[in-house]
RNA sequence: UGGGCUAUGGCCAAGUGGUUAAGGCAUCGGACUUUGACUCCGACAUCGGUGGUUCGAAUCCACCUAGCCCAGCCA
């Protein structure tokens, strides 16, 4: 999977255009509206636009499509820039649609002067009523045949703020009977007073998406304007504006299928509600697939690239299971993450034949297959912690490859130990396991006389660092009605907090995902500080171990 | 008989008339293993349906079926 990348139709189109010398290099763009947060689904558009441009020596623009001041905020601009930069999709240029307001106004005036646009005084309700519906054509606005001179005067008046919000609009004069609703004299400009994050109060008219977007692309010299499927029937309009506004550069809009992830929340309204109700811990809750959530969780951006490329860029609209994403994360981290020992459900082991008060230091590589990652000292001593699940009093069958009374296992990077006895409390809960170790079996000594009953990991008790561990599972339950209110679908067990121990010299860096040997990948959370180390579980390790029912 | 689009194994997805229909995930066997991980072997589809064109079709044509999008002064 690592090197797999699906070929896709847009790549074919670009290569053809380059071969035919239609363009020297491709120029693409990611055009978000700064009104929310980016999520995994957006990553497809970001990564694809970026990589397509870069792979063919072209340019990638980041452009904020800020044509609606009432929904947009500079806060979102900064958040999106941070997310995109984190992804490593560096933009060659940063633009704002609002930078083009003057040009757009002038081009709209071109339309007016050509008789291709008119000022319409119909109320919003009247416009809706005269638009017709899916089966019936619309009817012409009574203002449709205004003279060019009057239209020029009124449009200038709109710009000067002479009319109230919503009093008039500028409309393209196309065809009220078109079977394509988008062509029924679409609105180009509306009057809307509101403070714009970029242009302040300089404008009281704002261009609509269908008009603004093609002009933005043309102005920037975008060659391939990628967007999602729902804009497919806007394409005739896109082309109409480029043509009649007499734009020099002719961009081509190409639609692809959005990346949908099954059983995940991506809607702004929904997330906001969950945040406000305290069901999740902010927009960057690690259970969310917002880019900030994934980053906080510890997902490396390279894994996101790998995931996007493995899926390709189809024209059909599928729904991908999140487990495929987790698999990609594992795949990437398996190759690159440092390995370290930690215990998330500890039980004490006492090595009865090891001197009291004494410890020694062993050396362990951070990654068995990548020596460039180096190694760290691992303390070993009389008292250790191992996973409670790695011990059972009586070995149930030959498949049990862990510790049991009378069985000998290898402690990874240390010695073989053999269990002899257990100490239990009043409830019968095991408090300690008494073992002996064999000095001759030291890791790296080449000892090969006996085969242990498996290999488990440990942390030496006196040097162990207590840590808080946040275990995440899918936020939404799978076995409930997907149409039920989201609040009722939340799995209260999707976040569990436990306390365990981390080996002494792990030196985890903030944001770095590393492997807790045999357990999974974990990363230090932003809530962490020097006193309290808090880690998030990024993903579990795969396991082919299938305990029989009733057996651990 | 409004328009536009899509349909390939449990999931994702190549394929644009001509070998046994790529590949990934998942699954099931097996090998290896100082992570029951990784790695490695092996198994796993006649392409929504029907009819047609053709020596030959997932690829062309016709009809049918299913799903998605469009009636914001949102993007």
């Amino acid at each position: 999977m690592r090197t797999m990348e699906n070929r896709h139709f847009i790549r074919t189109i670009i290569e053809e255009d380059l071969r035919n010398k239609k363009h020297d290099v491709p120029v693409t763009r990611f055009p978000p509206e700064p009104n929310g947060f980016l999520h995994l689904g957006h990553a497809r558009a970001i990564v694809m636009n970026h990589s397509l441009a870069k792979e063919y020596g072209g340019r990638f623009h980041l452009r904020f499509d800020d044509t609606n001041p009432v929904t947009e905020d500079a806060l979102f601009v900064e958040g999106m820039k941070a997310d995109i930069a984190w992804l490593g999709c560096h933009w060659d240029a940063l633009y704002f649609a609002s930078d083009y307001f003057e040009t757009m106004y002038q081009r709209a005036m071109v339309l007016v002067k050509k008789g291709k646009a008119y000022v319409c005084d119909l109320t919003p309700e009247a416009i809706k009523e005269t638009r017709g519906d899916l089966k019936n054509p619309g009817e012409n606005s009574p203002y449709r045949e205004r003279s060019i001179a009057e239209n020029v005067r009124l449009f200038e008046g709109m710009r000067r703020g002479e009319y109230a919000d919503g009093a008039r609009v500028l409309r393209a004069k196309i065809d009220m009977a078109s079977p394509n609703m988008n062509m029924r004299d679409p609105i180009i400009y509306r009057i809307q007073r509101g403070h714009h994050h970029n242009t302040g109060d300089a404008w009281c008219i704002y261009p609509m998406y269908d008009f603004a977007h093609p002009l933005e692309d043309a102005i920037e010299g975008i060659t391939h304007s990628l967007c999602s499927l729902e804009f497919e029937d806007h394409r005739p309009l896109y082309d109409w504006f480029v043509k009649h506004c007499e734009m020099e550069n002719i961009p081509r809009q190409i639609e692809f299928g959005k990346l949908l992830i099954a059983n995940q929340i991506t809607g702004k309204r929904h997330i906001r509600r969950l945040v406000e109700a305290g069901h999740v811990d902010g927009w960057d809750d690690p259970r969310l697939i917002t880019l900030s959530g994934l980053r906080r969780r510890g997902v490396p951006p390279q894994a996101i690239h790998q995931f996007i490329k493995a899926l390709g860029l189809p024209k059909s609209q599928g729904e991908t299971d999140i487990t495929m994403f987790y698999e990609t994360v594992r795949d990437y981290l398996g190759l690159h993450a440092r390995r370290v020992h930690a215990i998330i459900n500890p039980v004490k082991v006492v090595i009865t034949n090891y001197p009291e008060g004494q410890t020694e230091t062993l050396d362990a590589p951070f990654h068995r297959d990548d020596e460039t990652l180096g190694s760290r000292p691992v303390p070993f001593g009389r008292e250790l912690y191992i996973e409670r699940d790695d011990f059972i009093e009586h070995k149930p069958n030959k498949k049990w490859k862990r510790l049991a009374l009378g069985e000998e296992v290898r402690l990874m990077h240390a010695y073989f130990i053999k269990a002899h006895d257990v100490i239990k409390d009043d409830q019968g809960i095991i408090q300690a396991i008494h073992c002996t170790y064999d000095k001759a079996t030291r890791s790296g000594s080449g000892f090969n006389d006996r085969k242990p009953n498996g290999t488990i990991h440990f942390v030496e008790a006196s040097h162990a660092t207590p840590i808080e561990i946040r275990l995440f599972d899918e936020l939404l339950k799978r076995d409930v009605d997907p149409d039920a209110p989201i609040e009722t679908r939340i799995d209260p067990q999707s976040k569990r907090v436990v306390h365990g121990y981390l080996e002494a010299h792990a030196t985890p860096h903030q944001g770095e995902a590393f492997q807790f040997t045999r357990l999974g990948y974990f990363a230090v959370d932003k809530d962490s500080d020097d006193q309290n180390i808090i880690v998030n579980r990024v993903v579990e390790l795969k396991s082919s171990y299938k305990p029989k029912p009733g057996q651990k």
Side-chain angles (χ1 to χ4, degrees), chain A residues 116-129:
Chain A
K116 295 280 184 192
Y118 62 97
V119 173
C120 181
D121 302 354
L122 252 24
T123 63
E125 297 71 37
I127 288 181
K128 183 178 166 65
E129 281 161 20

Side-chain angles (χ1 to χ4, degrees), chain A residues 120 122-133 136-142 171 176 184:
Chain A
C120 181
L122 252 24
T123 63
E125 297 71 37
I127 288 181
K128 183 178 166 65
E129 281 161 20
T130 54
R131 183 149 34 218
D133 59 30
N136 302 297
E139 52 190 272
N140 287 168
S141 163
R171 292 229 253 172
M176 288 306 291
R184 321 245 262 224

Side-chain angles (χ1 to χ4, degrees), chain A residues 347 350 421-425 428-434:
Chain A
V347 64
V350 179
D421 199 10
V422 292
I423 310 299
K424 297 181 180 176
D425 65 11
I429 309 289
I430 297 172
Q431 295 301 298
I433 304 160
H434 283 3

